[in-house]
Amino acid sequence: MSTNTQPQAKRPVHGIDMAAHEEFLTYAEENPEAVQFVLSAVGTDEGRVLHTRSQTQSYMLGGQEFDRVARGYTQHFGGHKEVEEAVGFVDPTDREEAIEVALASLTACINGAISLSSAQAGVDIDELETTVSVDFDPSVFLGLEAPRDADGTPTNMYGDLRIDIQVSGEDLGDDIVDRVGEWVTRSPVYNLMALGHEGSPQVSRMSDRAR
């Protein structure tokens, strides 16, 4: 990594017109309500344990809804073939596993936070790669352990996230490495996973919704 000597506004950085970006940041700071999101997805059970068709939904930005067919990305979640076979599934298959996809999303968001932050700081990144892994105990999911203890505290299914980030570039000093580590905390998905966010389920009958 090296620090740009040219003014950021003079040329694109990692695909960003920095002059336009600075204008946007000024607008966002002066109008915070205009950059607030509401994001959502819906998952429909496919009649087989673990198998769900998930689709992203329209989103809200600054109170305005954006709904395009092209944004309805669909994923078909399931499990590992070996796991399905072990637990007694008929005709086990391989599908994207939801936890792994969540980890993949975290790598993308961390990379995004680092690349944006580096562009804003005038730091050139040649290569960036993030690997995320976690230990997972399926006992609660399998019904072998209660989801809460006697005091009502949720049972933790996971160990700590392991996040390994590799960067390359000229003049890669310890100060830059420290800044990259700090930039990780700007990642929205990292925030979603690492901090406590309440998510109380609201359950209703589908017939009730139609009334």
Side-chain angles (χ1 to χ4, degrees):
M1 292 183 181
S2 60
T3 303
N4 292 331
T5 55
Q6 300 182 35
Q8 295 184 37
K10 297 299 183 182
R11 63 184 179 88
V13 179
H14 285 282
I16 297 179
D17 179 331
M18 294 308 296
H21 182 63
E22 291 295 336
E23 291 180 7
F24 167 77
L25 292 179
T26 299
Y27 173 80
E29 185 174 23
E30 295 175 351
N31 303 273
E33 72 286 346
V35 295
Q36 303 305 305
F37 282 91
V38 177
L39 306 174
S40 63
V42 61
T44 303
D45 179 76
E46 296 183 90
R48 179 181 173 97
V49 175
L50 293 179
H51 284 210
T52 289
R53 183 183 72 254
S54 297
Q55 189 173 52
T56 53
Q57 301 293 284
S58 62
Y59 72 97
M60 303 285 290
L61 175 59
Q64 180 180 355
E65 182 176 15
F66 294 85
D67 188 6
R68 296 190 301 277
V69 173
R71 286 226 37 97
Y73 298 110
T74 301
Q75 289 179 290
H76 294 275
F77 291 109
H80 312 91
K81 182 177 181 179
E82 296 79 8
V83 174
E84 289 196 356
E85 184 175 18
V87 301
F89 277 52
V90 177
D91 299 325
T93 61
D94 252 325
R95 279 195 172 191
E96 286 191 298
E97 201 279 331
I99 301 170
E100 292 175 334
V101 174
L103 298 178
S105 298
L106 178 57
T107 67
C109 198
I110 286 175
N111 283 354
I114 292 173
S115 59
L116 178 60
S117 298
S118 65
Q120 292 175 339
V123 173
D124 289 331
I125 291 180
D126 294 332
E127 294 178 298
L128 168 64
E129 184 174 88
T130 297
T131 302
V132 178
S133 60
V134 69
D135 296 329
F136 167 58
D137 180 351
S139 298
V140 172
F141 177 75
L142 294 172
L144 302 175
E145 188 175 349
R148 295 179 181 271
D149 64 19
D151 297 326
T153 302
T155 303
N156 194 342
M157 304 183 195
Y158 295 96
D160 292 335
L161 288 166
R162 295 183 293 275
I163 302 172
D164 178 67
I165 300 167
Q166 298 187 38
V167 292
S168 71
E170 298 179 3
D171 304 322
L172 191 62
D174 291 341
D175 58 330
I176 298 297
V177 172
D178 290 341
R179 293 176 74 185
V180 170
E182 178 62 26
W183 291 336
V184 171
T185 61
R186 293 190 180 187
S187 159
V189 177
Y190 176 82
N191 185 287
L192 180 64
M193 290 188 176
L195 301 184
H197 299 275
E198 290 296 326
S200 300
Q202 303 296 315
V203 183
S204 63
R205 292 181 294 270
M206 288 188 176
S207 58
D208 294 339
R209 300 180 188 179
R211 293 174 185 174

